[in-house]
């Protein structure tokens, strides 16, 4: 994959994850306000507590998605693969989007499913585009210790 395409995919993934994180925060804030103003109660639970829980859950999920967006943006700007912890974060983001897509089909509809799957595709493409193992050469990218620099042939092995 070319550098330009790789950076574009990672940048689009970052943009989509940031928009999704802000959207989740907004929806949960609105839900919390509605529960608080309507004085809704579910089996005698406190509406104030339910409102607070909606705000906290929305905020935490939004921070998670914004963290994933930061990792993707950093990969796009530096054009380097994310390190292990960042790759794990993006992998969990892909798993969450897979589960979220299944719930979206059942609860919201096919349009929401398509949007979530588009974000999942961007996350997976970002992970694959910045694969730290180069499959064509069968090893890690770049030169390892003890190997000559680019363009210099290795000295023949002593006999």
């Amino acid at each position: 994959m070319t550098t330009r395409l790789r950076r574009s995919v990672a940048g689009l993934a970052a943009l989509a994850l940031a928009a999704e994180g802000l959207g989740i925060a907004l929806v949960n804030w609105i839900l919390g306000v509605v529960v608080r103003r309507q004085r809704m109660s579910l089996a005698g639970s406190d509406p104030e507590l339910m409102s607070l829980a909606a705000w906290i859950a929305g905020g935490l999920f939004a921070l998670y998605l914004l963290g994933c967006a930061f990792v993707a943006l950093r990969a796009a700007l530096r054009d380097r693969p994310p390190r292990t912890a960042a790759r794990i974060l993006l992998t969990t983001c892909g798993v969450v989007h897979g589960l979220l897509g299944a719930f979206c089909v059942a609860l919201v509809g096919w349009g929401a499913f398509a949007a979530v799957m588009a974000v999942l595709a961007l996350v997976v493409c970002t992970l694959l585009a910045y694969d730290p193992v180069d499959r064509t050469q069968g090893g890690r990218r770049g030169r390892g210790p003890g190997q000559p620099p680019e363009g210099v042939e290795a000295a023949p092995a002593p006999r």
Side-chain angles (χ1 to χ4, degrees):
M1 188 177 272
T2 65
T3 301
R4 189 172 180 179
L5 180 62
R6 186 172 52 212
R7 291 178 119 181
S8 298
V9 167
L12 280 173
L15 183 66
L17 288 169
E20 189 175 19
L22 295 175
I24 291 288
L26 179 66
V27 166
N28 279 344
W29 177 71
I30 290 171
L31 287 174
V33 168
V34 168
V35 167
R36 180 173 280 188
R37 287 188 182 167
Q38 294 293 320
R39 305 268 187 247
M40 293 180 187
S41 176
L42 189 65
S45 58
D46 183 23
E48 296 290 322
L49 188 60
M50 289 174 55
S51 175
L52 181 65
W55 289 338
I56 291 172
L60 289 176
F61 195 51
L63 285 176
Y64 169 72
L65 290 173
L66 290 174
C68 294
F70 174 75
V71 168
L73 181 64
R74 187 173 177 195
L77 293 177
R78 292 184 171 195
D79 196 28
R80 291 187 185 152
R83 297 201 180 231
T84 304
R87 290 186 69 78
I88 290 171
L89 185 68
L90 285 178
T91 303
T92 62
C93 185
V95 170
V96 166
H97 276 81
L99 293 171
L100 194 61
F103 290 130
C104 279
V105 159
L107 299 175
V108 182
W110 289 102
F113 173 77
V116 171
M117 289 300 109
V119 176
L120 173 63
L122 288 171
V123 169
V124 169
C125 283
T126 299
L127 282 168
L128 293 177
Y130 287 104
D131 188 11
V133 177
D134 189 0
R135 305 276 183 225
T136 59
Q137 297 176 2
R140 297 189 73 73
R141 286 190 190 159
R143 299 256 182 217
Q147 293 182 350
E150 280 291 327
V152 177
E153 290 186 27
R159 292 183 192 202

